[in-house]
Amino acid sequence: MTDRDCIFCKIAAGEIPSATVYEDADFRVILDLGPASRGHALILPKNHYKDLCELDESVAARVLPLAGKLGAAMKRALGCAGFNVVQNNGTAAGQTVFHFHVHVIPRYEGGPEMVAWKPGKADPEELAAVSSSIQKELEL
Ligand code: 5GP
Ligand code: ZN
């Protein structure tokens, strides 16, 4: 289940070299070529899924534990004070490579602000309406 035109399929398969932090049968973890901070890593499944909506559930179940272990290793190895776990779906959300991946981004004391948004103001009626419309479409 790979896509011949997908760069992350090729990296995950080892056909294109990468700074690999971890590899097993299902995943390769690499360092990002355009890092947001020192140690910025990407978790790539070896199979091709366009985004989170396509991701196999057994693969999905391994992603967060892997991200947590990576973040803990980054704190010990790099001295970062924390880390962000970021996952973009769709162009509007900033996805540029359409092979599911998770960013694990070390955050250093005094480092630049990132992964932030300006909080809006919630109207209780609007919250109830939005909550209900999403709930109707939720397929679990
Ligand atoms: P997205 O914007 O899709 O969530 O993230 C794509 C990420 O992949 C970006 O942070 C970008 O720097 C990184 N990237 C794109 N092409 C390559 C590549 O060939 N090798 C590596 N290591 N990272 C890449
Ligand atoms: Zn792919």
Side-chain angles (χ1 to χ4, degrees):
M1 232 173 55
T2 55
D3 179 336
R4 284 192 297 138
D5 299 323
C6 172
I7 185 153
F8 279 5
C9 279
K10 290 179 184 151
I11 292 173
E15 290 164 21
I16 294 177
S18 63
T20 294
V21 174
Y22 174 74
E23 185 188 4
D24 65 23
D26 299 323
F27 294 99
R28 182 185 293 268
V29 178
I30 64 169
L31 293 186
D32 195 304
L33 271 189
S37 68
R38 183 166 183 264
H40 181 166
L42 301 171
I43 301 175
L44 312 181
K46 291 194 171 176
N47 283 337
H48 182 86
Y49 310 98
K50 182 179 64 154
D51 60 20
L52 182 59
C53 302
E54 281 194 356
L55 191 64
D56 182 88
E57 287 199 4
S58 66
V59 176
R62 291 200 54 211
V63 170
L64 268 187
L66 187 49
K69 287 186 174 157
L70 271 171
M74 286 166 171
K75 290 210 268 184
R76 292 192 296 269
L78 307 176
C80 57
F83 60 96
N84 290 109
V85 176
V86 177
Q87 199 275 309
N88 300 324
N89 296 280
T91 306
Q95 187 177 8
T96 57
V97 180
F98 292 87
H99 174 124
F100 172 90
H101 54 279
V102 171
H103 299 256
V104 183
I105 306 174
R107 299 297 297 272
Y108 298 90
E109 289 294 357
E113 192 177 307
M114 55 177 96
V115 201
W117 58 86
K118 195 165 160 259
K121 222 171 184 324
D123 166 61
E125 278 181 24
E126 167 75 351
L127 290 186
V130 171
S131 166
S132 149
S133 66
I134 298 170
Q135 196 177 52
K136 283 187 196 125
E137 293 298 330
L138 199 53
E139 291 171 353
L140 292 173

